[in-house]
Amino acid sequence: MKKIMLLVAMAFLLASVPALAADCTNRGGLDMNYCDEDNDLVADLAPAGECKDPSTLVFTYTPVEDPAVYRDAFADFQAYLEEATGKRVIYYTVQSNAAEVEAMRSGKLHIAGFSTGPTGFAVNLAGYVPMAVKGYPEGFQGYNLIVVVPQDSPIKSLADLKGKKVAHTSASSNSGNLAPRALFPKEGITPDKDYTVVYSGKHDQSILGVVHGDYDAAPVASDVYDRMVAAGRVDADALRVVYRSPKFPTSSFGYSSQLCAPLAQKIIGAFSTYRFPESMQKSFHGADRFYPITYKADWKVIRDIADATGTSYNAEGLKKMAAKEAAKKAKKAKKK
């Protein structure tokens, strides 16, 4: 009952937001509470006189099973933000992606890290402005969808997958199923139509299945494959990569468009100049900085996948995501 009431309350909040002034000429996919006059797909900053300049800034990172881990990991960065903005910065723990979106929409959250998929909901419904992802001097941290085949396979390209048995990981996996179904048709090959899909369950099982000859090929996450090669679980010469997608970004970081411009610039400056201490680098797989990105360019592949799989970054889509999250938590609780 509590879960149902939460979803009902969220739906009410999402439906009861005042529209901006009628002189907004472009909103695109944004909620009626925001405007996008510069066509960069994110909300414009609130004008002076309507913007917010809070004495305390609230920051959070995408919800995880053990929030304390990342709360501690970001402690040094919070102190850096306080010095850069001249304001107190506190960490706010969120219990779900939907709750994180609603926290920013309602003005309770000012700076945040959103998971890759939910970033679109935060942009459209909460006026979120993504500006960075974890990264390195040469680029941002991310991964690709790759297709691996045996080294001696006659398969040279996606077109050669026709009539083959191909291992997808699971129905809900981005790189292991959703991305191939969204991206491959543009390359002239359609899963289930042009080749037989067999679900392996996991990325490592898909990879090992190709090595052992159980499958002709497998779309998998590049970072999983790289880790398996580095750990010696797979011989680097056993497989070939015949397809590599554009890089998928990891969690985005950004701020609320409702903040006043001078404050937003200080926040951007802090993200730009901060360098991760060693402890933070360990927590984030060697990333040492926040690498600048734009939602329009760097999230295009994610938006394309969402479009192809019927995910709409609107209020109805957020309700569906909230319902899935609640069901997943209930399933885990039942197992315990």
Side-chain angles (χ1 to χ4, degrees):
M1 180 60 72
K2 287 182 179 179
K3 290 170 185 171
I4 293 174
M5 292 302 293
L6 175 62
L7 293 175
V8 171
M10 183 183 302
F12 175 79
L13 286 169
L14 291 175
S16 57
V17 181
L20 281 177
D23 59 359
C24 177
T25 62
N26 180 63
R27 287 194 176 90
L30 302 182
D31 181 84
M32 291 293 289
N33 205 34
Y34 312 106
C35 196
D36 178 23
E37 295 289 11
D38 58 3
N39 291 285
D40 62 356
L41 304 188
V42 299
D44 301 332
L45 283 176
E50 297 179 25
C51 62
K52 298 177 181 178
D53 188 21
S55 58
T56 297
L57 294 172
V58 181
F59 168 73
T60 196
Y61 184 57
T62 179
V64 292
E65 289 190 14
D66 186 2
V69 172
Y70 289 121
R71 183 181 63 231
D72 295 341
F74 282 108
D76 184 73
F77 177 60
Q78 283 181 236
Y80 193 83
L81 267 177
E82 288 186 338
E83 185 175 351
T85 61
K87 296 178 181 293
R88 183 185 178 213
V89 178
I90 61 173
Y91 192 92
Y92 173 66
T93 299
V94 290
Q95 301 302 319
S96 69
N97 290 300
E100 185 177 8
V101 172
E102 183 53 40
M104 180 163 285
R105 181 182 176 86
S106 65
K108 296 176 182 177
L109 180 63
H110 309 114
I111 309 168
F114 281 92
S115 292
T116 304
T119 289
F121 288 108
V123 167
N124 283 7
L125 298 175
Y128 171 61
V129 183
M131 62 175 173
V133 295
K134 300 181 295 293
Y136 318 94
E138 65 277 9
F140 65 76
Q141 190 179 68
Y143 66 97
N144 308 84
L145 156 64
I146 60 173
V147 176
V148 294
V149 301
Q151 184 65 248
D152 59 357
S153 170
I155 297 172
K156 304 297 182 183
S157 67
L158 289 184
D160 297 329
L161 294 180
K162 289 187 177 181
K164 303 298 183 182
K165 182 167 69 172
V166 180
H168 285 209
T169 56
S170 63
S172 62
S173 172
N174 179 51
S175 53
N177 184 57
L178 299 179
R181 292 183 182 279
L183 302 179
F184 287 4
K186 298 176 183 178
E187 304 292 331
I189 194 85
T190 302
D192 280 326
K193 177 184 176 183
D194 295 319
Y195 66 73
T196 301
V197 173
V198 180
Y199 288 110
S200 69
K202 296 180 181 179
H203 289 271
D204 56 351
Q205 291 174 185
S206 286
I207 294 167
L208 293 174
V210 174
V211 171
H212 297 148
D214 299 326
Y215 316 116
D216 296 308
V220 295
S222 62
D223 56 345
V224 176
Y225 174 70
D226 292 340
R227 285 198 297 269
M228 291 180 71
V229 170
R233 294 183 62 197
V234 174
D235 187 334
D237 296 325
L239 301 175
R240 282 187 293 108
V241 175
V242 297
Y243 171 83
R244 184 178 294 270
S245 75
K247 192 191 296 186
F248 301 145
T250 55
S251 300
S252 66
F253 290 84
Y255 56 90
S256 168
S257 61
Q258 301 310 291
L259 297 178
C260 292
L263 175 56
Q265 287 302 316
K266 290 178 181 178
I267 294 170
I268 293 171
F271 273 89
S272 176
T273 56
Y274 183 72
R275 295 296 177 263
F276 296 4
E278 185 176 347
S279 59
M280 197 168 171
Q281 291 182 39
K282 288 181 179 178
S283 296
F284 296 117
H285 309 293
D288 70 348
R289 67 193 64 206
F290 292 109
Y291 192 86
I293 55 90
T294 66
Y295 179 71
K296 186 172 185 177
D298 299 299
W299 246 256
K300 184 179 185 305
V301 63
I302 305 301
R303 295 195 305 273
D304 287 346
I305 293 171
D307 288 342
T309 55
T311 299
S312 298
Y313 293 133
N314 55 23
E316 185 61 31
L318 184 63
K319 285 163 62 179
K320 289 179 180 179
M321 184 177 72
K324 287 181 179 179
E325 288 184 316
K328 189 174 181 179
K329 284 187 177 181
K331 187 176 181 180
K332 283 186 177 181
K334 189 175 181 180
K335 287 183 178 180
K336 291 180 181 179

